Amino acid sequence: MQPIESSEEFGCLGDAISSLKSVPREYIERDLRITGASDDHDNATLNYGPDASGNLYAIEHQRKLHWFSHKCRAIAWKGSTGQVAAERREKDEAALHGWLATLGIDELVPVFMEKGWYGEHRLERMKVSGLAAEDLDELGIRDERYRGVLLQGKRKAAMPQTEWTCFDKRCPRSFGSREALQQHCEDTGHQSANATKSTMEKFNEDVRRQRKQQHRSANATSARQ
């Protein structure tokens, strides 16, 4: 959407909105009702349309306190349904490219776009949950290198997440990092000795400890020989 008109400064936001000439009157009246009922939209942009011709409109509100009075301005925006859809697709493609680039496989962007595998919510699900083998089959991704990278994300998403838990009887809470837990203990006075690591973290430490012991035993055996 593109800005098409900006009002002069008024002391009342309603006057600024009413002065717009390039927005259909029905949208002006609806905007006045919404902004008049609540202050929540004083510095927000409200969207209207499409009209019979497929045009979309938006009214941006600006209301700022200056000493003991307000300075208010309204800015009108206009676009078409096709233009907005194209802008949204371009934004979604850029976000998809950014994610695949971090995996080193951004050449797959056209594949995801062609199959309709894009959009804010779908991208978030792919980042969090990864892709399954059947997802890759649907996308037509057969190359084992690409499948390995994308399926690895699925395996990582399925792994238990490290949590730090406060076992104080007054506060059975979990935290995503040691720092967050330490801050919690400082704020509440709970003893950090009452905070233990998750099962996954303990398991990893046990594995590291066993490997060190095996390494020391192997060195001792070699020395005796």
Side-chain angles (χ1 to χ4, degrees):
M1 299 183 77
Q2 301 294 328
I4 55 174
E5 182 184 0
S6 178
S7 73
E8 298 179 2
E9 283 191 347
F10 290 85
C12 174
L13 182 59
D15 293 337
I17 296 170
S18 297
S19 71
L20 296 175
K21 306 299 183 185
S22 55
V23 179
R25 193 62 202 174
E26 61 176 306
Y27 300 147
I28 293 291
E29 293 175 354
R30 192 184 308 173
D31 200 66
L32 289 170
R33 288 196 299 270
I34 295 173
T35 55
S38 170
D39 294 338
D40 294 342
H41 307 288
D42 282 357
N43 288 285
T45 300
L46 298 180
N47 299 288
Y48 302 100
D51 61 12
S53 301
N55 295 315
L56 298 171
Y57 296 89
I59 301 178
E60 177 185 346
H61 311 122
Q62 297 179 0
R63 184 172 184 259
K64 299 179 181 179
L65 182 63
H66 183 72
W67 292 98
F68 299 104
S69 61
H70 284 92
K71 288 187 175 181
C72 303
R73 185 185 299 272
I75 301 173
W77 296 70
K78 184 179 181 181
S80 65
T81 51
Q83 178 187 3
V84 171
E87 290 174 353
R88 185 181 298 114
R89 181 184 171 90
E90 183 178 348
K91 180 180 177 180
D92 290 338
E93 183 174 358
L96 177 64
H97 183 278
W99 174 58
L100 291 175
T102 63
L103 301 177
I105 53 173
D106 53 309
E107 60 269 27
L108 291 181
V109 169
V111 175
F112 281 78
M113 295 298 295
E114 182 183 353
K115 296 292 185 178
W117 281 60
Y118 58 88
E120 180 181 355
H121 298 297
R122 169 160 259 174
L123 179 59
E124 187 62 26
R125 286 197 300 271
M126 290 192 291
K127 287 180 179 179
V128 173
S129 304
L131 284 85
E134 53 268 26
D135 297 329
L136 302 183
D137 293 339
E138 182 180 338
L139 286 164
I141 298 175
R142 312 296 181 193
D143 190 295
E144 289 301 322
R145 182 176 73 88
Y146 294 142
R147 292 178 72 91
V149 172
L150 293 166
L151 288 173
Q152 184 179 13
K154 183 70 174 179
R155 290 191 291 270
K156 287 182 178 179
M159 290 179 63
Q161 299 297 312
T162 299
E163 288 186 348
W164 293 77
T165 306
C166 177
F167 281 101
D168 190 291
K169 293 181 180 180
R170 297 166 294 174
C171 184
R173 292 181 56 191
S174 298
F175 301 86
S177 67
R178 186 199 300 266
E179 292 75 16
L181 176 60
Q182 289 175 340
Q183 184 63 51
H184 164 74
C185 292
E186 292 176 5
D187 294 341
T188 61
H190 296 176
Q191 295 298 316
S192 58
N194 291 331
T196 64
K197 290 178 235 181
S198 68
T199 303
M200 189 67 187
E201 187 76 6
K202 288 181 180 178
F203 173 78
N204 290 336
E205 283 200 352
D206 290 341
V207 170
R208 287 193 291 268
R209 189 180 303 108
Q210 290 174 5
R211 287 177 178 173
K212 286 182 180 179
Q213 290 174 350
Q214 292 172 355
H215 183 69
R216 284 196 294 266
S217 298
N219 288 340
T221 301
S222 298
R224 286 195 298 270
Q225 294 175 351

